[in-house]
Amino acid sequence: MELKLYNTLTREKQVFTPIDPDNVRMYVCGPTVYDYAHIGNARPIIVFDVLFRLLRHIYGPEHVTYARNITDVDDKINARAREEGVPISDVTARTTKQFLEDIAALGVLPPTVEPTATGHIAEMIEMIKMLIANGHAYEADGHVLFNTPSMKDYGQLSRRSLDEMIAGARVDVASYKKDETDFVLWKPSDADTPGWDSPWGRGRPGWHIECSAMSWKHLGEVFDIHGGGIDLQFPHHENEIAQSRCAFGHKVMANVWMHNGFLQVEGQKMSKSLGNFITINELLEKWPGEVLRFNMLRTHYRQPIDWTEKSVQESWDILEGWYAKASPAGAGPNLTGEVLEALLDDMNTPKAIAALHQMDDAERASNLAALGFAGDLTDPRAGDVDEAKIEAAIARRLEAFKAKDFAEADRIRDELTAQGIQLRDSKDSETGERVTTWELKR
């Protein structure tokens, strides 16, 4: 069974050969827990959950180690805690719980290990000591910085020019830096900011060293696969590679680097200023998690995805049709036939979905179960429907028709449609009067 994966580091699709088939190791960057995760955050979570399932299918569940971290020390978290007037731990505990509940609704398996940054400060300090000893880092003005010119082949992952690196990293100008591309490994904390004792004074880690330390702790100095969104390729993943390679002296940090493409909403970049910033939690109030999962997998993970209301509705309709014939609930999960072949070819989920359309009902249900679908399309809003109010609105609409106030009748219909209520008009066979029925639709 030959698995091929596209390696961002080499810019080619290659046969995946694990370092140790008895312990295939994968690390994926998780959330920074200061707010609800948005739908873009859900993409790597779903993508690498499918890869996790595929690796478990190939090598056996007991032979795959998947680490996905929680970043619970960060300046965004500090700012949110100050804004709310609560301890940092209140923000991180609440937001972590929200995140885990949201992604569980997307059918995501728990990773083998879910390390937190605050639980690995000792490993970060140890790595920074190694980098200083190896001549790749230096202390300056209470900070410790990685000296990028000390690594002759820095930039292999992103393949950017020096100017592009400076622009992409949003480099802070600081008098204590030896080179403007140098980045922070450790920074000082004042009395009101979380901090830990270190050889360089009380402080906190830089973002990049966190993932290097956590992956080292749980997967070793070199491991098989490192994944994340394309937005993390530079500077985060580039700097992880620099830290880990220079600390341990290896040619690579991970053999395969995988990145999922960007997500936009209704043809536009997602942003709060455009009013199209959507959280996973908000979507789960409108759609079943399985519909969101399926919609994400209809686009190949390396391609950009345009998240639209129309595409989510189409995903609902497809799953609803399949589930009516044979639900994945209770089916023996197994990846077979052309679905498996498609996944082995760099996780080609659109091709796998095309194959699902051609399968008989039982085999399709088995493959869907293996892909994380449980056959649950319970409408999240079903319990919120006030039938009395709907019937009252329909009665007002019928009165408007009788009064020939068609504008009012249309207004009421549009108002109900916006709530997901679909009206059907017919005539009573005996009286000839208009009769209206309704159902909850997407």
Side-chain angles (χ1 to χ4, degrees), residues 287-308:
W287 304 93
E290 299 201 4
V291 170
L292 304 181
R293 180 183 182 87
F294 187 76
N295 196 57
M296 197 73 79
L297 297 179
R298 289 172 64 196
T299 301
H300 191 276
Y301 79 91
R302 285 196 285 119
Q303 299 302 315
I305 182 173
D306 187 16
W307 190 271
T308 68

Side-chain angles (χ1 to χ4, degrees), residues 50-69:
V50 173
L51 180 56
F52 183 35
R53 291 171 183 271
L54 179 60
L55 293 172
R56 284 160 58 97
H57 176 83
I58 298 170
Y59 298 99
E62 70 276 15
H63 299 303
V64 181
T65 303
Y66 174 23
R68 188 188 66 220
N69 77 291

Side-chain angles (χ1 to χ4, degrees), residues 129-138 146-147 149-151 178 246:
K129 287 181 180 177
M130 292 181 201
L131 290 168
I132 293 173
N134 293 345
H136 292 288
Y138 59 94
F146 184 92
N147 185 218
S150 71
M151 183 182 183
K178 291 183 178 180
C246 291

